[in-house]
Amino acid sequence: GVLQWELQQLPNLKYIVVLGNYALEAVTGLSGIMHHRGSVYETQVSSLSQESSRNCTVIAMLNPAAVMREPKWEIMFKFDVGRLKDVIDGQYKQHIVSSIINPTPTEALAWIDKMQDERLPVSLDIETIGGETACIGLANSTTTGMCINFRDRSSNRFTVGDESLIRLRLHNWSRDQNTKLVMQNGMFDASWLAYKDRIILGPSYFDTMLAHHTLYPSLPHNLGFLTSQYTTHPFYKDEGKAWREGSDIDSFWEYNVKDCCITLAAQQAMLKELKAQKLDEFFFSHVMRLQPHLIRMTVGGVKADIALKEQIAHDTRKDVDALKAKFWSLVAEATGEEDYHPNPSSPKQMAELFFRKLRLVGRGTATDVKNRARMKMHPRTPEVAKQMLTALDEYATENKFLGTYAEMQADDDGRIRCEYKQTGVVSAPGRLSSAGTLWGSGTNLQNQPGRAHKMFVADPGYEFSYFDLSQAEARVVGWKYRIESWIEQFEQARIDGKYDAHRALASMMFNIPYDETPKEDWDENGKPTKRYLAKRCRHGLNYRMGADKLAETLGIPFSEAENLWRIYHRINPELQKGWDATVKEVKDKRSLYNAYGRRWILLERFDDEALKSIVAFYPQSTVGDKVSSCIYLCESDPEWPSTEARMALNIHDALIALHTHETGSVVRRIMHRHATAPIAIVDIYGHKTELIIPCDLKVSVPDEHGVHRWSNLEKVKL
């Protein structure tokens, strides 16, 4: 149309820069600027006479308006501008990959021998079809690789004997001490191969996803993004799906080789970056050291009491149905419509109920639990509507427990697993997150509610040991900002084991003697005590929480929350000084480092949301890396009984180990040793101090049937 006509008017046109998705689609017919940005394509532009055409080079870039709205994309825009300059200067050369596919068994074994003999870093990547391993790609060159595909579109390519030889050869080669495996998200490949194929890969030398997270924690880390950042290969990730839509399946095997070669190219570039930015030691000694231990935790999982799990699910379904009926009854009473049964899980139908029919007042038109709490507290909300909202909260809680926990899928061996993600917590790099496994079972095992714990059991002859760091983040804040009163209280609590730092804070906040402050969080009437209020202030107000958010969190009137907010900051003026020092450091250096050397870079707009991330980074990230380091330090400890014990679960600031009864005392001693090892903290004044975070130790005790359950943990001392 008009665009083509305008391009025809430019007789010397050589380069076309497409800014954003509309321009990309108009010029190339491709869609998805976030995928294609940084890619270079050739396109045909007709001459004015329409009798001939000329080649033009197209460079895809983000629209500058989008970059202005989201400043963290600025670094990507700069990458793409650099790509444009290379094209114009004649320095651009497209990355071409040659694929060796459909090898015979002899050729496949010879290629593995070649990978071993040449002793270069080797990129490994797998692809799956129908829940099975379809192929394994290997490349020690950025331009050539082999896909060992075990099947074609309809059948297996190798005999059972030949395939067994190849798999055994891969297993043995990967575990050779001279093998340097390079992978992109190696958690997927290694845990899949271990669980599905019993191919236990040796520890990966370099994971490109984890390296990029170490360098730029807030940017995307998928291979499509890394392709545009570190190579000159155009975006190709859609090719992995094309064969399912009728293309030759050989394109799938070629795609696998591209993944291998491009992963290796990205690894070579990022290794230079890690060294230049002095992050290589942290990356290899902590990030990569942790990965094989997390893979082992993922593959090992935890045994489930399937019969109990099914009974809990059955009982919870009945409770959910009863709560839904109760909710509908109150809806009818509140609206006067007997046959009105809105879906309590539908935000659209809940918004219709709350704001059009009942005209409730919250903050905007959100229907989530926070806005429902605001509606309940609003003075114009009728009593029956408050009861209805309470019933909805009860339904939502039970329904979530049912779908997320009681009905979580166990694997065929009766174990429940999760994938631990080293890149999972964007706001606190260093903290682990978890989700269901890559083959579709399991769930997030870090946030299991207490009543789900009894579903998890130790294997026969085994038991659980547990440690939990005590008030870890608050201690890091106290040492980092040098809050002397906190340091004194926390140290007294650590040394005598009975002194309660939360009671001490409540004593200061409410100006009452320590001995008169409550020992518990809830009184006999189920109301929060002064200790609880002080504890919640410490957990939230350290990270710039406002009085309004505190009111929501505690479920108290705003005026009361505002008073608590003022008292807390009056007795802890060091917090504001610490925030100011941290903000100044970010403004001066655009980055922060935690106690272990992990870096955070400011790529976002410098606003209130960024400030929350800035002040939360050091304590949350430091504690995350502390707990993660305990996993590999324990399992690598010379005294650790490696054949009879392993780490089984990470629960944020806690770890659970699975071990035999005979090795329990050794396991707990090792866990305690590494959990309480000092952390070197450099405070905001530049002084280096050591922080020892105490931990609570627990061990499982057998129930009446002799079964050790996660729910049956009791405190124990060394």
Side-chain angles (χ1 to χ4, degrees):
V2 175
L3 175 61
Q4 288 294 326
W5 180 85
E6 289 177 339
L7 294 175
Q8 291 168 10
Q9 310 308 306
L10 304 173
N12 299 318
L13 179 65
K14 292 183 178 180
Y15 312 109
I16 302 174
V17 179
V18 293
L19 301 174
N21 198 54
Y22 289 127
L24 173 71
E25 195 162 352
V27 174
T28 68
L30 301 170
S31 181
I33 191 62
M34 288 303 294
H35 292 320
H36 293 280
R37 51 142 293 276
S39 294
V40 178
Y41 301 103
E42 296 297 318
T43 192
Q44 297 285 313
V45 175
S46 301
S47 65
L48 285 172
S49 65
Q50 300 288 330
E51 295 177 356
S52 62
S53 59
R54 53 210 160 109
N55 286 330
C56 285
T57 302
V58 177
I59 302 94
M61 298 171 62
L62 296 176
N63 191 314
V67 177
M68 291 177 67
R69 289 193 300 270
E70 186 53 80
K72 73 178 181 181
W73 301 139
E74 182 179 343
I75 191 169
M76 297 161 58
F77 189 74
K78 289 179 178 178
F79 286 141
D80 299 344
V81 170
R83 179 66 44 83
L84 171 62
K85 183 177 184 302
D86 289 343
V87 170
I88 294 173
D89 292 345
Q91 301 298 313
Y92 174 82
K93 183 179 180 181
Q94 184 171 314
H95 186 155
I96 304 295
V97 173
S98 298
S99 305
I100 304 170
I101 62 175
N102 299 312
T104 65
T106 301
E107 290 169 337
L109 291 169
W111 187 261
I112 300 171
D113 290 341
K114 171 182 166 67
M115 297 296 99
Q116 184 164 24
D117 294 342
E118 294 180 355
R119 294 196 175 185
L120 297 170
V122 178
S123 176
L124 181 149
D125 180 68
I126 71 170
E127 305 296 341
T128 67
I129 297 176
E132 300 296 334
T133 306
C135 67
I136 299 177
L138 301 173
N140 64 2
S141 159
T142 61
T143 57
T144 306
M146 174 181 283
C147 171
I148 304 173
N149 47 308
F150 300 114
R151 56 172 298 153
D152 54 27
R153 182 177 282 276
S154 59
S155 60
N156 295 323
R157 297 183 56 248
F158 303 138
T159 66
V160 172
D162 285 338
E163 187 165 325
S164 297
L165 283 174
I166 292 170
R167 291 174 183 268
L168 182 61
R169 184 72 184 90
L170 283 166
H171 172 92
N172 292 334
W173 159 75
S174 75
R175 301 185 67 79
D176 187 304
Q177 62 179 358
N178 295 312
T179 297
K180 285 189 171 183
L181 282 178
V182 176
M183 291 187 278
Q184 161 72 11
N185 188 15
M187 170 63 81
F188 170 78
D189 303 76
S191 61
W192 179 283
L193 288 173
Y195 177 70
K196 291 283 188 175
D197 302 299
R198 301 301 186 264
I199 298 175
I200 312 299
L201 298 179
S204 177
Y205 158 67
F206 198 105
D207 191 304
T208 48
M209 182 181 78
L210 300 183
H212 196 258
H213 180 259
T214 301
L215 289 161
Y216 308 105
S218 63
L219 289 181
H221 313 300
N222 60 76
L223 191 55
F225 184 86
L226 301 188
T227 301
S228 67
Q229 183 172 343
Y230 294 110
T231 79
T232 58
H233 198 290
F235 178 75
Y236 69 97
K237 296 300 289 182
D238 287 343
E239 295 174 14
K241 306 171 186 174
W243 72 273
R244 300 178 190 271
E245 299 166 3
S247 296
D248 188 343
I249 197 171
D250 282 354
S251 65
F252 190 42
W253 315 134
E254 291 167 353
Y255 163 84
N256 173 244
V257 175
K258 286 183 182 180
D259 273 356
C260 291
C261 292
I262 286 172
T263 295
L264 196 60
Q267 179 266 329
Q268 293 174 0
M270 276 189 277
L271 180 58
K272 294 176 182 177
E273 269 194 288
L274 287 165
K275 291 179 177 178
Q277 298 182 37
K278 298 182 179 177
L279 290 168
D280 52 322
E281 182 179 351
F282 168 78
F283 173 70
F284 286 113
S285 65
H286 177 68
V287 176
M288 291 309 303
R289 186 178 178 185
L290 173 63
Q291 188 187 54
H293 297 269
L294 296 181
I295 291 169
R296 188 183 182 203
M297 289 168 65
T298 291
V299 175
V302 181
K303 184 176 175 61
D305 184 335
I306 300 298
L308 177 62
K309 176 180 172 298
E310 291 176 351
Q311 184 61 50
I312 290 173
H314 176 267
D315 294 343
T316 306
R317 288 188 201 101
K318 292 171 61 177
D319 292 341
V320 167
D321 290 341
L323 288 167
K324 183 187 287 187
K326 178 182 176 182
F327 169 68
W328 280 340
S329 174
L330 290 164
V331 166
E333 186 177 348
T335 62
E337 300 180 29
E338 290 293 332
D339 296 326
Y340 178 45
H341 294 153
N343 181 355
S345 299
S346 166
K348 182 178 180 180
Q349 293 184 36
M350 289 301 95
E352 168 83 2
L353 169 64
F354 298 160
F355 306 117
R356 196 182 74 81
K357 290 184 177 289
L358 298 179
R359 300 189 179 280
L360 301 180
V361 179
R363 183 177 296 172
T365 58
T367 61
D368 58 19
V369 65
K370 293 179 181 178
N371 213 28
R372 296 200 298 268
R374 296 187 189 104
M375 295 177 213
K376 279 194 280 188
M377 293 177 65
H378 197 278
R380 281 170 33 198
T381 302
E383 182 59 32
V384 66
K386 292 180 181 179
Q387 295 175 16
M388 178 199 74
L389 291 167
T390 299
L392 178 57
D393 289 343
E394 293 171 351
Y395 167 83
T397 298
E398 288 302 297
N399 196 45
K400 179 179 179 180
F401 177 78
L402 174 64
T404 306
Y405 306 112
E407 293 182 334
M408 59 187 163
Q409 182 182 341
D411 285 309
D412 292 341
D413 59 0
R415 307 184 80 80
I416 294 178
R417 297 173 169 86
C418 71
E419 176 200 358
Y420 287 102
K421 299 175 181 289
Q422 289 179 262
T423 63
V425 184
V426 176
S427 60
R431 294 189 73 91
L432 298 174
S433 69
S434 70
T437 66
L438 302 157
W439 46 90
S441 63
T443 187
N444 176 355
L445 293 182
Q446 292 174 299
N447 295 329
Q448 293 286 310
R451 57 181 166 149
H453 290 180
K454 58 187 174 182
M455 295 188 292
F456 296 86
V457 299
D459 297 87
Y462 283 74
E463 63 187 27
F464 294 119
S465 283
Y466 163 101
F467 84 74
D468 184 11
L469 296 181
S470 177
Q471 295 128 24
E473 288 182 22
R475 290 175 191 267
V476 173
V477 170
W479 265 252
K480 181 66 175 176
Y481 295 165
R482 204 198 290 178
I483 305 175
E484 298 293 351
S485 62
W486 290 18
I487 294 173
E488 181 181 342
Q489 292 164 6
F490 280 133
E491 281 297 272
Q492 185 173 346
R494 180 179 71 85
I495 292 167
D496 75 12
K498 295 180 180 179
Y499 188 79
D500 186 338
H502 289 322
R503 288 181 71 195
L505 177 62
S507 173
M508 293 174 62
M509 288 182 65
F510 299 103
N511 196 27
I512 56 177
Y514 173 86
D515 291 337
E516 295 179 16
T517 58
K519 296 181 180 180
E520 306 297 333
D521 285 343
W522 306 94
D523 64 19
E524 61 275 8
N525 298 316
K527 293 184 178 180
T529 64
K530 288 181 171 62
R531 181 190 187 277
Y532 177 79
L533 296 176
K535 181 172 75 172
R536 297 309 303 172
C537 284
R538 175 172 266 154
H539 289 328
L541 299 186
N542 290 352
Y543 302 134
R544 295 182 60 88
M545 178 187 285
D548 56 343
K549 179 72 173 178
L550 182 64
E552 288 179 21
T553 302
L554 294 176
I556 59 177
F558 174 78
S559 58
E560 186 179 341
E562 187 177 36
N563 185 50
L564 289 173
W565 188 94
R566 287 174 178 168
I567 292 171
Y568 188 80
H569 286 291
R570 175 173 55 78
I571 67 172
N572 299 306
E574 298 93 339
L575 281 173
Q576 187 63 55
K577 292 179 183 178
W579 295 345
D580 292 344
T582 304
V583 168
K584 183 179 185 303
E585 184 177 355
V586 170
K587 287 183 175 179
D588 291 344
K589 302 177 181 178
R590 307 292 293 181
S591 64
L592 295 170
Y593 290 83
N594 75 4
Y596 289 88
R598 183 182 294 278
R599 187 180 69 179
W600 175 88
I601 301 180
L602 178 66
L603 297 176
E604 300 83 0
R605 183 179 287 108
F606 200 87
D607 55 15
D608 285 343
E609 282 302 310
L611 284 174
K612 291 178 182 178
S613 296
I614 288 168
V615 301
F617 167 73
Y618 189 92
Q620 293 183 353
S621 179
T622 293
V623 173
D625 280 322
K626 167 67 176 178
V627 177
S628 292
S629 71
C630 288
I631 297 173
Y632 60 71
L633 288 172
C634 287
E635 293 193 332
S636 303
D637 192 291
E639 295 183 58
W640 184 266
S642 57
T643 60
E644 299 157 308
R646 67 174 177 85
M647 288 297 176
L649 291 167
N650 166 267
I651 310 105
H652 302 301
D653 295 350
L655 291 174
I656 294 181
L658 179 67
H659 55 82
T660 60
H661 175 73
E662 292 75 19
T663 59
S665 59
V666 174
V667 166
R668 287 187 289 276
R669 185 173 71 248
I670 294 170
M671 291 172 74
H672 183 270
R673 176 193 307 158
H674 294 295
T676 58
I679 304 172
I681 303 284
V682 178
D683 67 26
I684 59 172
Y685 304 104
H687 301 127
K688 187 174 181 179
T689 59
E690 286 192 339
L691 164 63
I692 297 175
I693 303 176
C695 71
D696 294 324
L697 281 176
K698 295 182 180 180
V699 63
S700 61
V701 295
D703 63 12
E704 64 274 19
H705 303 293
V707 177
H708 286 261
R709 300 180 184 274
W710 180 0
S711 56
N712 292 1
L713 294 174
E714 293 186 357
K715 283 190 177 183
V716 65
K717 292 186 177 182
L718 292 178

